[in-house]
């Protein structure tokens, strides 16, 4: 059974139609920027060469990113008992 909640600020399009609309908007934007090249910055001077990478700094940043990626999963609470079925009430 699908829950229907009428809201005057919703269009009632659903997730599939909304996804198609956003996909079309992204596609139109990419095609426009590809054809017009309005987002390209032309270099006036000589090309700059990138700086040499510092391996020690890269290792530190890699460790930081690994920590940031795994920390939330370690902080999530573990359920002590199974969650109740949908639609059932539990005692307070």
């Amino acid at each position: 059974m699908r829950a229907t909640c009428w809201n005057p600020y919703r269009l009632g399009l659903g997730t599939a139609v909304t996804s198609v609309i956003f996909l079309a908007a992204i596609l139109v934007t990419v095609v426009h920027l590809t054809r017009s090249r309005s987002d390209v910055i032309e270099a006036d001077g000589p090309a700059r060469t990138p700086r040499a990478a510092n391996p020690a700094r890269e290792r530190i940043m890699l460790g930081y990113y690994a920590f940031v990626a795994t920390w939330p999963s370690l902080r999530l609470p573990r359920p002590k008992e199974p969650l109740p079925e949908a639609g059932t009430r539990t005692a307070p």
Side-chain angles (χ1 to χ4, degrees):
M1 173 185 253
R2 183 175 160 179
T4 56
C5 177
W6 186 82
N7 187 344
Y9 301 107
R10 292 182 55 195
L11 298 175
L13 297 176
T15 56
V17 175
T18 305
S19 296
V20 169
I21 290 171
F22 277 107
L23 181 62
I26 292 168
L27 184 63
V28 166
T29 303
V30 168
V31 168
H32 168 71
L33 291 175
T34 301
R35 288 182 174 225
S36 68
R37 296 181 53 90
S38 60
D39 61 330
V40 175
I41 300 173
E42 299 295 334
D44 294 334
R48 296 188 320 182
T49 57
R51 292 187 329 173
N54 184 351
R57 181 178 167 90
E58 288 183 4
R59 273 189 239 107
I60 291 170
M61 290 307 294
L62 182 62
Y64 170 74
Y65 290 142
F67 172 75
V68 168
T70 57
W71 182 74
S73 66
L74 299 174
R75 297 286 301 160
L76 290 174
R78 305 286 188 241
K80 294 182 174 51
E81 58 188 47
L83 296 174
E85 293 293 324
T88 60
R89 293 182 181 215
T90 58

